[in-house]
Coordinates of all heavy atoms in Angstrom, one line a residue:
F1 N -12.3 72.9 154.5 CA -13.3 73.9 154.8 C -14.1 74.2 153.6 O -13.6 74.3 152.5 CB -12.7 75.1 155.4 CG -11.8 75.9 154.5 CD1 -12.4 77.0 153.8 CD2 -10.5 75.6 154.3 CE1 -11.6 77.7 152.9 CE2 -9.7 76.4 153.5 CZ -10.3 77.4 152.8
P2 N -15.4 74.4 153.7 CA -16.2 74.7 152.5 C -16.0 76.1 152.0 O -15.8 77.0 152.8 CB -17.7 74.5 153.0 CG -17.5 74.7 154.5 CD -16.2 74.2 154.9
L3 N -16.1 76.2 150.7 CA -16.0 77.5 150.1 C -17.2 78.3 150.3 O -18.3 77.8 150.1 CB -15.7 77.4 148.6 CG -14.3 76.8 148.2 CD1 -14.3 76.5 146.7 CD2 -13.2 77.7 148.6
K4 N -17.1 79.6 150.6 CA -18.2 80.5 150.8 C -18.7 81.0 149.4 O -19.9 81.3 149.2 CB -17.9 81.6 151.7 CG -17.6 81.1 153.1 CD -17.4 82.3 154.0 CE -17.2 81.7 155.4 NZ -16.3 82.2 156.3
G5 N -17.8 81.1 148.5 CA -18.2 81.6 147.1 C -17.2 81.0 146.1 O -16.1 80.6 146.5
R6 N -17.7 81.0 144.9 CA -16.8 80.5 143.8 C -16.6 81.7 142.9 O -17.3 82.6 142.9 CB -17.4 79.4 143.1 CG -17.4 78.1 144.0 CD -17.8 76.9 143.2 NE -17.6 75.7 144.0 CZ -18.1 74.6 143.6 NH1 -18.8 74.4 142.6 NH2 -17.9 73.5 144.4
Y7 N -15.5 81.6 142.1 CA -15.1 82.7 141.3 C -15.4 82.3 139.8 O -15.3 81.2 139.4 CB -13.6 82.9 141.4 CG -13.2 83.3 142.8 CD1 -12.8 82.4 143.8 CD2 -13.3 84.6 143.3 CE1 -12.5 82.7 145.1 CE2 -13.0 85.0 144.6 CZ -12.6 84.0 145.5 OH -12.3 84.4 146.7
D8 N -15.8 83.4 139.1 CA -16.1 83.2 137.6 C -14.9 82.9 136.8 O -14.9 82.1 135.9 CB -16.9 84.4 137.1 CG -18.3 84.5 137.7 OD1 -18.9 83.5 138.0 OD2 -18.7 85.6 137.9
V9 N -13.8 83.6 137.1 CA -12.5 83.4 136.4 C -11.4 83.3 137.4 O -11.3 84.1 138.3 CB -12.3 84.6 135.5 CG1 -10.9 84.5 134.7 CG2 -13.4 84.8 134.5
I10 N -10.6 82.3 137.2 CA -9.3 82.1 137.9 C -8.2 82.0 137.0 O -8.2 81.2 136.0 CB -9.4 80.8 138.8 CG1 -10.5 81.0 139.9 CG2 -8.1 80.6 139.5 CD1 -10.7 79.8 140.8
D11 N -7.2 82.8 137.2 CA -6.0 82.7 136.3 C -4.8 82.1 137.2 O -4.3 82.8 138.1 CB -5.6 84.2 135.9 CG -4.4 84.2 134.9 OD1 -4.1 83.1 134.3 OD2 -3.8 85.2 134.8
L12 N -4.5 80.9 136.9 CA -3.5 80.1 137.6 C -2.2 80.2 136.8 O -2.0 79.6 135.8 CB -4.0 78.7 137.8 CG -3.1 77.7 138.6 CD1 -3.0 78.3 140.0 CD2 -3.8 76.4 138.6
D13 N -1.3 81.1 137.3 CA -0.1 81.4 136.6 C 1.1 81.4 137.5 O 1.7 82.4 137.8 CB -0.2 82.7 135.8 CG 1.0 83.0 134.9 OD1 1.8 82.1 134.7 OD2 1.1 84.1 134.4
P14 N 1.5 80.2 138.1 CA 2.6 80.2 139.0 C 3.9 80.1 138.2 O 4.0 79.9 137.0 CB 2.4 78.9 139.8 CG 1.8 78.0 138.7 CD 0.9 78.9 137.9
Y15 N 5.0 80.4 138.9 CA 6.3 80.2 138.3 C 6.6 78.7 138.4 O 6.7 78.2 139.5 CB 7.4 81.0 139.0 CG 8.8 80.8 138.5 CD1 9.1 81.4 137.3 CD2 9.7 80.1 139.2 CE1 10.4 81.2 136.8 CE2 11.0 79.9 138.7 CZ 11.3 80.5 137.5 OH 12.6 80.3 136.9
G16 N 6.7 78.0 137.3 CA 6.9 76.6 137.4 C 5.7 75.8 137.1 O 4.8 76.2 136.3
S17 N 5.5 74.7 137.9 CA 4.4 73.8 137.7 C 3.1 74.4 138.4 O 3.1 74.9 139.5 CB 4.7 72.5 138.3 OG 3.6 71.6 138.3
A18 N 2.0 74.2 137.7 CA 0.7 74.5 138.3 C 0.1 73.4 139.1 O -0.9 73.5 139.7 CB -0.3 75.0 137.2
A19 N 0.7 72.2 139.0 CA 0.2 71.0 139.6 C -0.2 71.1 141.1 O -1.3 70.7 141.5 CB 1.2 69.8 139.5
P20 N 0.6 71.8 142.0 CA 0.1 71.9 143.4 C -1.1 72.7 143.6 O -1.7 72.7 144.6 CB 1.3 72.5 144.1 CG 2.5 72.5 143.1 CD 1.9 72.4 141.8
F21 N -1.5 73.5 142.6 CA -2.6 74.5 142.8 C -3.9 74.1 142.0 O -4.9 74.7 142.2 CB -2.2 75.9 142.3 CG -0.9 76.3 142.9 CD1 0.3 76.3 142.1 CD2 -0.8 76.7 144.2 CE1 1.5 76.7 142.7 CE2 0.4 77.1 144.7 CZ 1.6 77.1 144.0
I22 N -3.8 73.0 141.2 CA -4.9 72.6 140.3 C -6.1 72.2 141.2 O -7.2 72.6 140.9 CB -4.5 71.5 139.4 CG1 -3.5 72.1 138.3 CG2 -5.7 70.9 138.7 CD1 -2.9 71.1 137.4
D23 N -5.9 71.4 142.2 CA -7.0 70.9 143.0 C -7.8 72.1 143.6 O -9.0 72.1 143.5 CB -6.5 70.0 144.1 CG -7.7 69.3 144.8 OD1 -8.4 68.6 144.2 OD2 -7.8 69.5 146.0
G24 N -7.1 73.0 144.2 CA -7.8 74.1 144.8 C -8.5 75.0 143.8 O -9.6 75.5 144.0
A25 N -7.9 75.2 142.6 CA -8.4 76.0 141.6 C -9.7 75.4 141.0 O -10.7 76.1 140.8 CB -7.4 76.3 140.5
V26 N -9.7 74.1 140.8 CA -10.8 73.4 140.3 C -12.0 73.5 141.3 O -13.2 73.7 140.8 CB -10.5 71.9 140.0 CG1 -11.7 71.1 139.8 CG2 -9.6 71.8 138.8
Q27 N -11.7 73.4 142.5 CA -12.8 73.6 143.5 C -13.3 75.0 143.6 O -14.5 75.2 143.9 CB -12.3 73.2 144.9 CG -12.0 71.7 145.0 CD -11.5 71.4 146.4 OE1 -12.3 71.6 147.4 NE2 -10.3 71.0 146.6
A28 N -12.5 76.0 143.4 CA -12.9 77.4 143.6 C -13.5 78.0 142.4 O -14.2 79.1 142.5 CB -11.6 78.2 143.9
V29 N -13.4 77.5 141.2 CA -14.0 78.1 140.0 C -15.5 77.7 140.0 O -15.9 76.6 140.3 CB -13.3 77.6 138.7 CG1 -13.6 76.2 138.4 CG2 -13.7 78.5 137.6
A30 N -16.3 78.7 139.6 CA -17.8 78.5 139.6 C -18.2 77.6 138.4 O -17.5 77.4 137.5 CB -18.4 79.9 139.4
D31 N -19.4 77.0 138.6 CA -19.9 76.2 137.5 C -20.1 77.1 136.3 O -20.6 78.2 136.3 CB -21.2 75.6 137.8 CG -21.1 74.5 138.9 OD1 -20.0 73.9 139.0 OD2 -22.1 74.3 139.6
G32 N -19.5 76.7 135.1 CA -19.5 77.5 133.9 C -18.5 78.6 133.9 O -18.4 79.4 133.0
G33 N -17.6 78.6 134.9 CA -16.5 79.6 135.0 C -15.4 79.2 134.2 O -15.3 78.2 133.5
M34 N -14.4 80.1 134.2 CA -13.2 79.9 133.3 C -11.9 79.7 134.2 O -11.7 80.5 135.1 CB -13.0 81.0 132.4 CG -11.8 80.8 131.4 SD -11.5 82.2 130.3 CE -13.1 82.4 129.5
L35 N -11.2 78.7 134.0 CA -9.9 78.5 134.7 C -8.8 78.6 133.7 O -8.7 77.7 132.8 CB -9.9 77.1 135.3 CG -8.7 76.6 136.1 CD1 -8.3 77.6 137.2 CD2 -8.8 75.2 136.6
N36 N -8.0 79.6 133.8 CA -6.8 79.8 132.9 C -5.6 79.2 133.6 O -5.3 79.6 134.7 CB -6.6 81.3 132.6 CG -7.8 81.9 132.0 OD1 -8.5 81.4 131.2 ND2 -8.1 83.1 132.4
V37 N -4.9 78.3 132.9 CA -3.7 77.7 133.5 C -2.5 77.9 132.7 O -2.5 77.6 131.5 CB -3.9 76.2 133.8 CG1 -2.8 75.5 134.4 CG2 -5.2 75.9 134.6
T38 N -1.4 78.3 133.3 CA -0.1 78.4 132.6 C 0.9 77.6 133.4 O 1.0 77.6 134.6 CB 0.4 79.9 132.7 OG1 -0.6 80.7 132.0 CG2 1.7 80.1 131.9
C39 N 1.7 76.8 132.6 CA 2.8 76.0 133.2 C 4.1 76.3 132.5 O 4.1 76.4 131.3 CB 2.5 74.5 133.0 SG 1.1 73.9 134.0
T40 N 5.1 76.6 133.3 CA 6.4 76.9 132.8 C 7.4 75.8 133.1 O 8.6 76.0 133.1 CB 6.9 78.2 133.3 OG1 7.0 78.2 134.7 CG2 6.0 79.4 132.8
D41 N 6.9 74.6 133.4 CA 7.8 73.5 133.7 C 7.9 72.5 132.5 O 7.7 71.3 132.6 CB 7.4 72.7 135.0 CG 6.0 72.2 134.9 OD1 5.2 72.6 134.1 OD2 5.7 71.3 135.7
M42 N 8.2 73.1 131.3 CA 8.3 72.3 130.1 C 9.3 71.2 130.2 O 9.1 70.1 129.6 CB 8.6 73.3 128.9 CG 8.4 72.6 127.6 SD 6.7 72.1 127.4 CE 6.9 71.1 125.9
A43 N 10.4 71.4 130.9 CA 11.4 70.3 131.0 C 10.8 69.0 131.6 O 11.0 67.9 131.2 CB 12.6 70.7 131.8
V44 N 9.9 69.2 132.6 CA 9.2 68.1 133.2 C 8.2 67.5 132.3 O 8.1 66.3 132.0 CB 8.5 68.5 134.5 CG1 7.6 67.4 135.1 CG2 9.6 69.0 135.5
L45 N 7.4 68.4 131.6 CA 6.3 67.9 130.8 C 6.8 67.3 129.4 O 6.1 66.5 128.8 CB 5.3 69.0 130.4 CG 4.5 69.5 131.6 CD1 3.8 70.8 131.3 CD2 3.4 68.5 132.0
S46 N 8.0 67.7 129.0 CA 8.6 67.2 127.8 C 9.4 65.9 127.9 O 9.9 65.3 127.0 CB 9.4 68.2 127.1 OG 10.6 68.5 127.9
G47 N 9.5 65.4 129.1 CA 10.2 64.1 129.3 C 11.6 64.1 129.9 O 12.2 63.1 130.0
N48 N 12.2 65.3 130.1 CA 13.5 65.3 130.7 C 13.6 64.7 132.1 O 14.6 64.3 132.5 CB 14.1 66.7 130.7 CG 14.4 67.2 129.3 OD1 14.6 66.4 128.4 ND2 14.4 68.5 129.1
H49 N 12.4 64.8 132.8 CA 12.3 64.3 134.2 C 11.0 63.5 134.3 O 10.1 63.9 134.9 CB 12.3 65.4 135.2 CG 13.5 66.4 135.0 ND1 14.8 66.0 135.4 CD2 13.6 67.6 134.5 CE1 15.6 67.0 135.1 NE2 14.9 68.0 134.5
P50 N 11.0 62.3 133.7 CA 9.7 61.5 133.7 C 9.2 61.2 135.1 O 8.0 61.1 135.3 CB 10.1 60.3 132.9 CG 11.5 60.2 132.9 CD 12.1 61.5 133.1
E51 N 10.0 60.9 136.0 CA 9.6 60.6 137.4 C 8.8 61.8 138.0 O 7.8 61.6 138.7 CB 10.7 60.1 138.3 CG 11.4 58.9 137.8 CD 12.5 59.2 136.8 OE1 12.9 60.3 136.6 OE2 13.0 58.2 136.2
T52 N 9.4 62.9 137.8 CA 8.8 64.2 138.3 C 7.4 64.4 137.7 O 6.5 64.8 138.3 CB 9.7 65.4 138.2 OG1 10.9 65.1 138.8 CG2 9.1 66.6 138.8
C53 N 7.4 64.2 136.4 CA 6.1 64.4 135.6 C 5.1 63.4 136.1 O 3.9 63.8 136.3 CB 6.4 64.1 134.1 SG 4.9 64.5 133.1
F54 N 5.4 62.2 136.4 CA 4.4 61.2 136.9 C 4.0 61.6 138.3 O 2.8 61.5 138.6 CB 5.0 59.8 136.9 CG 4.0 58.8 137.3 CD1 3.1 58.4 136.4 CD2 3.9 58.3 138.6 CE1 2.1 57.4 136.7 CE2 3.0 57.4 139.0 CZ 2.0 56.9 138.0
A55 N 4.9 62.1 139.1 CA 4.6 62.5 140.5 C 3.6 63.7 140.5 O 2.7 63.8 141.3 CB 5.8 62.8 141.3
K56 N 3.8 64.6 139.6 CA 3.0 65.9 139.6 C 1.7 65.7 138.8 O 0.7 66.2 139.2 CB 3.8 67.0 139.0 CG 4.9 67.5 139.9 CD 5.6 68.7 139.3 CE 6.7 69.2 140.2 NZ 7.4 70.4 139.7
Y57 N 1.8 65.0 137.6 CA 0.7 65.0 136.7 C 0.1 63.6 136.5 O -0.9 63.5 135.7 CB 1.1 65.6 135.3 CG 1.6 67.0 135.4 CD1 2.9 67.3 135.4 CD2 0.6 68.1 135.5 CE1 3.3 68.6 135.5 CE2 1.1 69.4 135.6 CZ 2.4 69.7 135.6 OH 2.8 71.0 135.6
R58 N 0.7 62.6 137.1 CA 0.2 61.2 136.9 C 0.2 60.8 135.4 O -0.7 60.1 135.0 CB -1.2 61.0 137.5 CG -1.3 61.2 139.0 CD -0.5 60.1 139.7 NE -0.7 60.3 141.1 CZ 0.4 60.3 142.0 NH1 1.6 60.2 141.5 NH2 0.2 60.4 143.2
S59 N 1.2 61.2 134.7 CA 1.4 60.8 133.3 C 2.9 60.7 133.0 O 3.7 61.3 133.6 CB 0.9 61.9 132.4 OG -0.5 62.1 132.5
M60 N 3.2 59.8 132.0 CA 4.5 59.6 131.6 C 4.7 60.2 130.2 O 4.1 59.8 129.3 CB 4.8 58.1 131.6 CG 4.9 57.4 132.9 SD 6.2 58.0 134.0 CE 7.7 57.4 133.1
P61 N 5.6 61.2 130.1 CA 5.9 61.8 128.8 C 6.8 60.9 128.0 O 7.5 60.1 128.4 CB 6.6 63.1 129.2 CG 7.3 62.8 130.5 CD 6.4 61.8 131.2
I62 N 6.7 61.2 126.7 CA 7.6 60.5 125.7 C 8.7 61.5 125.4 O 8.5 62.6 124.9 CB 6.9 60.1 124.4 CG1 5.7 59.2 124.8 CG2 7.8 59.5 123.4 CD1 4.8 58.9 123.6
H63 N 10.0 61.1 125.7 CA 11.1 62.1 125.7 C 11.5 62.5 124.3 O 11.7 63.6 124.0 CB 12.3 61.5 126.5 CG 13.4 62.4 126.5 ND1 13.4 63.7 127.0 CD2 14.7 62.2 126.1 CE1 14.6 64.3 126.9 NE2 15.4 63.4 126.4
K64 N 11.6 61.5 123.4 CA 12.1 61.8 122.0 C 11.0 61.8 121.0 O 10.7 60.9 120.3 CB 13.1 60.7 121.6 CG 14.2 60.5 122.6 CD 15.4 61.5 122.3 CE 16.5 61.1 123.3 NZ 17.6 61.9 123.1
G65 N 10.3 62.9 120.9 CA 9.2 63.1 120.0 C 9.2 64.4 119.4 O 9.7 65.4 119.9
R66 N 8.6 64.5 118.2 CA 8.4 65.8 117.5 C 7.2 66.6 118.0 O 7.0 67.7 117.6 CB 8.3 65.6 116.0 CG 9.5 65.0 115.4 CD 9.3 64.9 113.9 NE 10.5 64.2 113.3 CZ 10.7 64.1 112.1 NH1 9.8 64.7 111.2 NH2 11.7 63.4 111.6
Y67 N 6.5 66.0 118.8 CA 5.2 66.6 119.3 C 5.2 66.9 120.8 O 4.2 66.7 121.5 CB 4.0 65.7 118.9 CG 4.3 64.3 119.2 CD1 4.1 63.7 120.5 CD2 4.9 63.4 118.2 CE1 4.4 62.4 120.8 CE2 5.2 62.1 118.5 CZ 4.9 61.6 119.8 OH 5.2 60.3 120.1
L68 N 6.3 67.3 121.3 CA 6.5 67.5 122.8 C 5.5 68.6 123.3 O 4.9 68.4 124.4 CB 7.9 68.0 123.1 CG 9.0 66.9 122.8 CD1 10.4 67.5 123.2 CD2 8.7 65.7 123.6
H69 N 5.3 69.7 122.6 CA 4.4 70.7 123.1 C 2.9 70.2 123.1 O 2.2 70.5 124.1 CB 4.5 72.0 122.2 CG 5.8 72.7 122.4 ND1 6.0 73.6 123.4 CD2 7.0 72.6 121.7 CE1 7.3 74.0 123.3 NE2 7.8 73.4 122.3
E70 N 2.5 69.4 122.1 CA 1.2 68.9 122.1 C 1.0 67.9 123.2 O 0.0 67.9 123.9 CB 0.9 68.2 120.8 CG -0.5 67.6 120.7 CD -0.8 66.9 119.5 OE1 -0.1 67.0 118.5 OE2 -1.9 66.2 119.5
L71 N 2.0 67.0 123.4 CA 1.9 66.1 124.5 C 1.9 66.7 125.9 O 1.1 66.3 126.7 CB 3.1 65.1 124.4 CG 3.1 64.0 125.5 CD1 1.9 63.1 125.3 CD2 4.4 63.1 125.3
A72 N 2.7 67.8 126.0 CA 2.6 68.6 127.3 C 1.2 69.1 127.6 O 0.7 69.1 128.7 CB 3.7 69.7 127.3
L73 N 0.6 69.7 126.5 CA -0.8 70.2 126.7 C -1.7 69.1 127.1 O -2.6 69.2 127.9 CB -1.2 70.9 125.4 CG -0.6 72.2 125.1 CD1 -0.9 72.7 123.7 CD2 -1.1 73.2 126.1
R74 N -1.6 67.9 126.4 CA -2.5 66.8 126.7 C -2.3 66.3 128.1 O -3.2 65.9 128.8 CB -2.3 65.7 125.7 CG -2.8 66.0 124.3 CD -2.5 64.9 123.3 NE -3.0 65.2 122.0 CZ -4.1 64.8 121.5 NH1 -4.9 64.0 122.2 NH2 -4.5 65.1 120.3
I75 N -1.0 66.3 128.6 CA -0.8 65.9 130.0 C -1.4 66.8 131.0 O -2.1 66.4 131.9 CB 0.7 65.8 130.2 CG1 1.3 64.5 129.5 CG2 1.0 65.7 131.7 CD1 2.8 64.5 129.5
L76 N -1.3 68.1 130.7 CA -1.9 69.1 131.6 C -3.4 69.0 131.5 O -4.1 69.0 132.6 CB -1.5 70.5 131.2 CG -2.1 71.7 132.0 CD1 -1.7 71.6 133.4 CD2 -1.7 73.0 131.4
L77 N -4.0 68.9 130.4 CA -5.5 68.7 130.3 C -6.0 67.5 131.0 O -7.0 67.5 131.6 CB -5.9 68.7 128.8 CG -5.8 70.0 128.1 CD1 -6.0 69.8 126.6 CD2 -6.7 71.1 128.7
Q78 N -5.2 66.4 130.9 CA -5.6 65.1 131.6 C -5.6 65.3 133.1 O -6.5 64.9 133.8 CB -4.7 64.0 131.1 CG -4.9 62.7 131.8 CD -4.2 62.5 133.2 OE1 -3.2 63.1 133.4 NE2 -4.8 61.8 134.0
S79 N -4.6 66.1 133.5 CA -4.5 66.3 135.0 C -5.6 67.2 135.5 O -6.2 66.9 136.5 CB -3.1 67.0 135.3 OG -3.0 67.3 136.6
L80 N -6.0 68.2 134.7 CA -7.1 69.1 135.0 C -8.4 68.3 135.1 O -9.2 68.4 136.0 CB -7.2 70.2 134.1 CG -6.2 71.3 134.2 CD1 -6.2 72.2 132.9 CD2 -6.5 72.2 135.4
E81 N -8.6 67.4 134.0 CA -9.9 66.6 134.0 C -9.9 65.7 135.1 O -11.0 65.5 135.7 CB -9.9 65.9 132.6 CG -11.1 65.0 132.5 CD -12.4 65.8 132.3 OE1 -12.4 67.0 132.0 OE2 -13.5 65.2 132.5
S82 N -8.8 65.0 135.5 CA -8.8 64.1 136.6 C -9.2 64.8 137.9 O -10.0 64.2 138.7 CB -7.5 63.4 136.7 OG -7.2 62.6 135.7
Q83 N -8.6 65.9 138.1 CA -8.9 66.7 139.4 C -10.4 67.1 139.4 O -11.1 67.1 140.4 CB -8.0 67.9 139.5 CG -6.6 67.6 139.8 CD -6.4 66.9 141.1 OE1 -7.1 67.2 142.1 NE2 -5.5 66.0 141.2
A84 N -10.9 67.6 138.2 CA -12.3 68.0 138.2 C -13.2 66.8 138.4 O -14.3 67.0 139.1 CB -12.6 68.6 136.8
N85 N -12.9 65.7 137.9 CA -13.8 64.5 138.0 C -13.9 64.1 139.5 O -14.9 63.5 139.9 CB -13.2 63.3 137.2 CG -13.4 63.5 135.7 OD1 -12.8 62.8 135.0 ND2 -14.2 64.4 135.3
K86 N -12.9 64.3 140.3 CA -13.0 64.0 141.7 C -14.2 64.7 142.4 O -14.7 64.3 143.4 CB -11.7 64.4 142.5 CG -10.5 63.5 142.2 CD -9.3 63.7 142.9 CE -9.1 64.9 143.8 NZ -7.8 65.1 144.4
Y87 N -14.6 65.8 141.8 CA -15.6 66.7 142.4 C -16.9 66.6 141.6 O -17.8 67.5 141.7 CB -15.2 68.1 142.6 CG -13.9 68.1 143.5 CD1 -12.7 68.3 142.9 CD2 -14.0 67.9 144.9 CE1 -11.5 68.3 143.7 CE2 -12.8 67.9 145.6 CZ -11.6 68.1 145.1 OH -10.5 68.1 145.8
G88 N -17.0 65.7 140.7 CA -18.2 65.5 139.8 C -18.3 66.7 138.8 O -19.3 67.0 138.3
R89 N -17.1 67.2 138.4 CA -17.1 68.3 137.4 C -16.3 67.8 136.2 O -15.7 66.7 136.2 CB -16.4 69.5 138.1 CG -17.1 69.9 139.4 CD -16.4 71.0 140.0 NE -17.1 72.2 139.5 CZ -16.7 73.5 139.8 NH1 -15.7 73.7 140.5 NH2 -17.4 74.5 139.3
H90 N -16.3 68.6 135.2 CA -15.5 68.3 134.0 C -15.0 69.6 133.4 O -15.4 70.7 133.8 CB -16.3 67.6 132.9 CG -17.4 68.4 132.3 ND1 -18.6 68.6 133.0 CD2 -17.5 69.1 131.2 CE1 -19.4 69.4 132.2 NE2 -18.7 69.7 131.1
I91 N -14.0 69.5 132.5 CA -13.5 70.6 131.8 C -13.9 70.7 130.3 O -14.2 69.6 129.7 CB -11.9 70.7 131.9 CG1 -11.3 69.5 131.1 CG2 -11.5 70.7 133.3 CD1 -9.8 69.7 130.9
V92 N -13.9 71.8 129.8 CA -14.2 72.0 128.3 C -13.0 73.0 127.8 O -13.1 74.2 128.1 CB -15.5 72.7 128.1 CG1 -15.7 72.9 126.6 CG2 -16.6 71.8 128.6
P93 N -12.0 72.4 127.2 CA -10.9 73.2 126.7 C -11.4 74.2 125.6 O -12.1 73.8 124.7 CB -9.9 72.2 126.1 CG -10.3 70.9 126.7 CD -11.7 71.0 127.0
I94 N -11.1 75.5 125.8 CA -11.5 76.5 124.8 C -10.3 76.8 123.9 O -10.4 76.9 122.7 CB -12.0 77.8 125.6 CG1 -13.2 77.4 126.4 CG2 -12.2 78.9 124.6 CD1 -13.7 78.5 127.2
A95 N -9.1 77.0 124.5 CA -7.9 77.3 123.7 C -6.7 76.7 124.4 O -6.6 76.7 125.7 CB -7.7 78.8 123.6
S96 N -5.8 76.1 123.7 CA -4.6 75.6 124.2 C -3.4 76.0 123.4 O -3.5 76.0 122.2 CB -4.6 74.0 124.2 OG -5.7 73.6 125.0
F97 N -2.4 76.5 124.0 CA -1.2 77.0 123.3 C 0.1 76.4 123.9 O 0.3 76.4 125.1 CB -1.1 78.5 123.5 CG -2.3 79.3 123.0 CD1 -3.3 79.7 123.9 CD2 -2.5 79.5 121.6 CE1 -4.4 80.3 123.5 CE2 -3.6 80.2 121.2 CZ -4.6 80.6 122.1
G98 N 0.9 75.9 123.0 CA 2.2 75.4 123.4 C 3.3 76.3 122.8 O 3.5 76.2 121.6
I99 N 3.9 77.1 123.6 CA 4.8 78.1 123.0 C 6.2 77.8 123.5 O 6.4 77.6 124.7 CB 4.4 79.5 123.4 CG1 3.0 79.8 122.8 CG2 5.4 80.5 122.8 CD1 2.4 81.1 123.2

């Protein structure tokens, strides 16, 4: 169904993975709007469950690395960009934090 309006700011902060909600959030945010995304599924993004990571984010993590947090952020950003590209949109990361 078509959206009647779009939102300037969307804060996507589920418990666990944000992957199931990314598509809807990308469609609902206004052009030039801000989409804040929080993921708490670090075990998946850091490579403990590579099959799950591929199923949710279409990326394969590297399990034994010193840069797990950076890689997790890059996987999430790639997933956001891929979803946005399906609708002729793109993302501009403003701030990224791996805590």
Side-chain angles (χ1 to χ4, degrees):
F1 65 95
L3 293 173
K4 293 185 174 143
R6 291 191 171 165
Y7 300 93
D8 292 325
V9 178
I10 295 177
D11 185 21
L12 186 56
D13 188 7
Y15 179 75
S17 176
F21 310 104
I22 290 174
D23 187 62
V26 165
Q27 291 181 64
V29 71
D31 291 336
M34 184 182 305
L35 177 59
N36 304 319
V37 181
T38 303
C39 290
T40 57
D41 60 340
M42 191 61 191
V44 171
L45 290 167
S46 65
N48 290 336
H49 308 286
E51 297 85 11
T52 305
C53 186
F54 186 79
K56 290 183 178 184
Y57 299 101
R58 297 289 184 234
S59 294
M60 290 298 289
I62 300 171
H63 182 58
K64 306 273 184 179
R66 295 183 185 189
Y67 43 85
L68 295 178
H69 291 275
E70 179 183 348
L71 184 61
L73 286 169
R74 289 176 180 261
I75 288 172
L76 178 61
L77 290 172
Q78 178 274 331
S79 181
L80 287 164
E81 180 70 16
S82 294
Q83 291 295 325
N85 289 164
K86 287 186 348 185
Y87 304 104
R89 307 179 90 186
H90 68 280
I91 66 167
V92 178
I94 297 173
S96 299
F97 303 98
I99 299 172

